[in-house]
Structure formats: structure tokens, C-alpha cells
Amino acid sequence: MPIILVGRMEVLIKEVTTKKELKRFVKFNIELYKDCPYHIPGLIADEMLTLSRDKNPAFEIAESIYFLAYRDNRIVGRIAGIINHRNNEIFNKKYARFGFVDFIDDEEVVDKLFGAVEDWARSKGMTAIHGPLGFSDLDQEGMLIEGFDQLGTMATIYNYAYYAKHIERINYSKDLDWKEFKIFIPKEVPEKHLRIGEIVKQKYGLTVLKFKRRKDIWPYAQRIFETMNQAYAHLYGFTPLTSRQIDFYVKMYIPMVRLDMITVIIRKEDDAVVGFAITLPSLSNALRKAKGRLFPFGLIHLLKALKTKPKVVDLYLMGVLPEYQNKGVNALVFNDLIPTYNKVGAVYAESNPELETNSAIQSQWTYFDIEHHKTRRAFSKQL
């Protein structure tokens, strides 16, 4: 159940300026949801790294501010204000973002938190604010508005149902939604996918690349994220990752991947990465057991989850170069991964968020049994 505090002590807003305060900022999310069976806590160390102006290369193109709300010396809310200058330049806008937002069910807390971040955005010359968004598309984004009784994933935000009600009360409105699906794993690769896959390989000179040793993926790691930059360029809120950001994410994610659940499609003539899929066994239950900490036992839970035969897999990152989209390249991905999922006994895959306007990505599930089980929303407000 959400925390609801009684009494009317004044809510005080304080900017986060020290590492100790930043840790409190990160831990508040875990404390607020400690009794919620659907919330998946992130790793404290990872979120500290993301929010660190000294360590996250996103700060080459962005700036931020963090606020905590206190009542009677107890933290009752948090919010980050972010300005992604690169994104504003690309789309010729003056938008701020709000993100990393959590609060108790209290109007005064919400009013003062959002008031603080809106005042900051105005002081920076911004004309609108939207979110929840992070520094990049690889940060969690979108406020849950449907699916509160569904287990969260490593890649997504879980929030109580009262969040959206407060957001709308203070005059934020829908910008757009993301949909999430359970995709049930068929016992065999659909016949049409097999045919399309063979045609695509021959027509475009493509091949499926698999890795048996972790060191073999490193030469392709940078290229995977460069392909992602091109594939995601048109998506809401996306900003191409810089070289330093790519290095940052490569070092963060590649060591934890499971090789049999990665598919890379290359063009044989020049070894270019045309498409890719990075999928993982669901880490949701392992992260719940870790409770935000790798040590002393969190790492054991995560390593066990990565090596086990999972019932659920997460479709973490997938992308195809724009010139190959809608040409059947995704069939090659499914033709490779479906037998792998069946081998380990997976029942379904979590799609993770897909823009409601992205009909191309959703049409790829036509030949699968799917369930739309979650929806999340980006809200915006003119300043």
C-alpha cells in the first residue's frame, strides 16, 4: 500500500547538493515501494552513476537539478529536472523534462515538487516541460497508467495509480502513450517467418551472427549502439547517443548479457550491423531480492537469474537500420530466438514499452499470441 502521512506539517523542498543527499534521493523510491509486490527496485549504485554529473557522459549534452520534499524531517517526495540540450537543438524546442519522480499521495507534496522543477525550467528559458523522461532513451520513461497489478521489469517505471491523478490535477495532459505486451512463445517458428527470413538473407546478403565467447561480441558492441542511434532517431524523446555515452552503456550492459539471447544481423559484404536484439532472462524477481544492493547477496541473485532457464524473457533492445525496416529483417531475429526460448522453457516475452504511434513495431506481433497488459504515458505542460 502507498504511504499516506496524516497531519499538516509544512512541506519543505530542498535541492540535492551532496552525495549523501543524492543517495537519499535514490533510496526514497525503494523505501516508498518496499511493500509493493509489483515494483522492481533498481540498483542503487547504477542510479547513483546515472545521476552523477561527474560520471554520466550524458552531462556533455544535458543538465539537471534534483529536489527532495520533506515533511517533519522525513522525505516524502523526489523529482529531477533535466534539460537535454541536444534534443532541443534537433527538434528546435525549449523543453525541460521531469523524471525520477516519486511522491506520497499528498497534494501539497506534489504541488511543491513540480512547482520547484517548473520554476527551475522557466529560469533556464524553457517554454514547456514533459515526462517522466531520463537523460537518454535507455533511462526509464513513461508513467504507468494501466497494469498496476502486473510485475514490473528492469527497464520500466512502476508507480502507484494516484500519480497520474495528481499530474492531471496540476494541468499536465497526455503527450503520448507507450504500450507493453506479453508475447507468448510459439512452439515452432511461424512458417511465414521462416520463408521471409530466407528471402531476406538472399536478397540483401545478410547473415545471423551468434557469439559463443563474451570477447567475441566486443568488436560489435559499439556498432550495435550506432545502429540503435539510427533505428531510434525518429522516436519520441530520443537523442542519438554520443561516443562517450555509447562507451558508457557498452561497459554497463555488455558484461551482463546472455550470449544465447543476443542476435546480431550483419551485411556480409562489409560486416555492418543491420539489426540486433538484446534480450535477457527476466531479472525482476532477482532485483526484488537484491533490494537495490549488489552486495552481499544481490549479485548472487542476479547471476543466478542470468544463468537459469527462465519462464519470462525481456526484449530489452531491438533495432533495425531505417533502410531495412519493414523488409522482413525482424523475421531473422525471431527465427533465431524462438528456438532458443523454447530450449530454455520460456513461456512469454515482455515487449517493454512501444510507442502507440509505432505501428511498424507492433505489426511484427501479428503472428504471435499477445496480451496488452500495461500502458504508460508521457505528460506535458506549457510553462
Side-chain angles (χ1 to χ4, degrees), residues 346-358:
V347 176
Y348 69 87
E350 286 270 4
S351 71
N352 283 311
E354 300 177 354
L355 286 169
E356 62 179 347
T357 55
N358 194 345

Side-chain angles (χ1 to χ4, degrees), residues 257-326:
V257 298
R258 180 162 157 169
L259 297 180
D260 61 336
M261 292 190 179
I262 293 178
T263 302
V264 176
I265 312 299
I266 62 168
R267 191 167 53 211
K268 289 186 284 188
E269 66 178 5
D270 58 2
D271 211 31
V273 174
V274 167
F276 68 90
I278 298 176
T279 72
L280 291 167
S282 173
L283 300 181
S284 295
N285 288 320
L287 287 167
R288 281 184 55 77
K289 293 175 182 177
K291 298 179 180 178
R293 300 185 182 278
L294 274 179
F295 303 102
F297 303 115
L299 183 60
I300 295 173
H301 294 307
L302 289 169
L303 290 175
K304 184 178 179 180
L306 285 168
K307 294 178 181 179
T308 192
K309 292 186 174 183
K311 296 299 182 184
V312 182
V313 294
D314 282 353
L315 307 184
Y316 190 60
L317 288 174
M318 298 178 69
V320 175
L321 286 176
E323 60 265 35
Y324 288 94
Q325 291 175 8
N326 300 315

Side-chain angles (χ1 to χ4, degrees), residues 92-107:
N92 193 28
K93 293 182 177 180
K94 293 184 177 181
Y95 273 31
R97 302 175 170 197
F98 71 87
F100 302 92
V101 60
D102 290 294
F103 45 80
I104 65 169
D105 190 2
D106 185 286
E107 290 187 2

Side-chain angles (χ1 to χ4, degrees), residues 27-253:
K27 291 175 69 176
F28 175 68
N29 172 270
I30 297 173
E31 294 163 0
L32 183 65
Y33 288 93
K34 64 181 179 181
D35 297 321
C36 177
Y38 308 111
H39 173 258
I40 306 302
L43 293 173
I44 294 170
D46 282 356
E47 190 159 314
M48 290 285 288
L49 187 62
T50 297
L51 296 171
S52 172
R53 296 179 179 91
D54 298 328
K55 297 178 180 178
N56 188 345
F59 284 96
E60 291 180 339
I61 60 172
E63 62 178 298
S64 69
I65 194 167
Y66 314 129
F67 294 107
L68 283 168
Y70 291 84
R71 177 182 277 143
D72 196 23
N73 294 318
R74 183 177 180 181
I75 297 174
V76 291
R78 69 171 191 169
I79 196 168
I82 298 167
I83 299 174
N84 186 315
H85 294 290
R86 176 72 59 80
N87 189 267
N88 281 344
E89 290 170 5
I90 291 172
F91 293 100
N92 193 28
K93 293 182 177 180
K94 293 184 177 181
Y95 273 31
R97 302 175 170 197
F98 71 87
F100 302 92
V101 60
D102 290 294
F103 45 80
I104 65 169
D105 190 2
D106 185 286
E107 290 187 2
E108 184 185 5
V109 172
V110 175
D111 292 351
K112 289 192 172 182
L113 275 175
F114 278 85
V117 83
E118 289 167 13
D119 286 345
W120 172 78
R122 290 188 193 96
S123 75
K124 295 291 184 175
M126 300 297 105
T127 59
I129 184 168
H130 62 157
L133 295 165
F135 298 95
S136 81
D137 202 57
L138 296 183
D139 296 327
Q140 294 178 339
E141 56 191 14
M143 185 171 289
L144 193 67
I145 61 168
E146 294 176 347
F148 301 105
D149 60 348
Q150 299 291 318
L151 186 65
T153 69
M154 177 181 70
T156 58
I157 296 168
Y158 183 88
N159 55 264
Y160 291 124
Y162 65 77
Y163 278 38
K165 295 176 182 177
H166 279 292
I167 294 288
E168 291 168 348
R169 179 184 58 79
I170 58 174
N171 299 317
Y172 282 76
S173 58
K174 173 186 173 180
D175 222 356
L176 92 175
D177 287 352
W178 291 266
K179 295 180 179 181
E180 295 178 48
F181 301 92
K182 288 181 180 178
I183 301 118
F184 293 92
I185 311 299
K187 296 302 181 183
E188 296 180 351
V189 179
E191 180 62 31
K192 185 170 183 178
H193 277 210
L194 290 172
R195 293 199 310 270
I196 292 173
E198 287 305 312
I199 292 170
V200 167
K201 283 198 293 186
Q202 297 300 320
K203 184 175 181 179
Y204 300 110
L206 307 180
T207 191
V208 177
L209 195 63
K210 299 298 287 185
F211 306 97
K212 293 185 177 180
R213 298 174 300 177
R214 195 167 304 276
K215 69 176 185 178
D216 294 336
I217 197 174
W218 285 104
Y220 292 91
Q222 185 95 10
R223 281 181 272 172
I224 288 171
F225 282 94
E226 290 169 353
T227 296
M228 187 192 77
N229 269 349
Q230 296 181 60
Y232 291 11
H234 65 291
L235 298 182
Y236 177 87
F238 182 76
T239 307
L241 300 176
T242 66
S243 294
R244 283 196 63 210
Q245 283 180 288
I246 290 175
D247 288 341
F248 178 79
Y249 287 118
V250 165
K251 292 173 183 176
M252 180 181 291
Y253 292 119

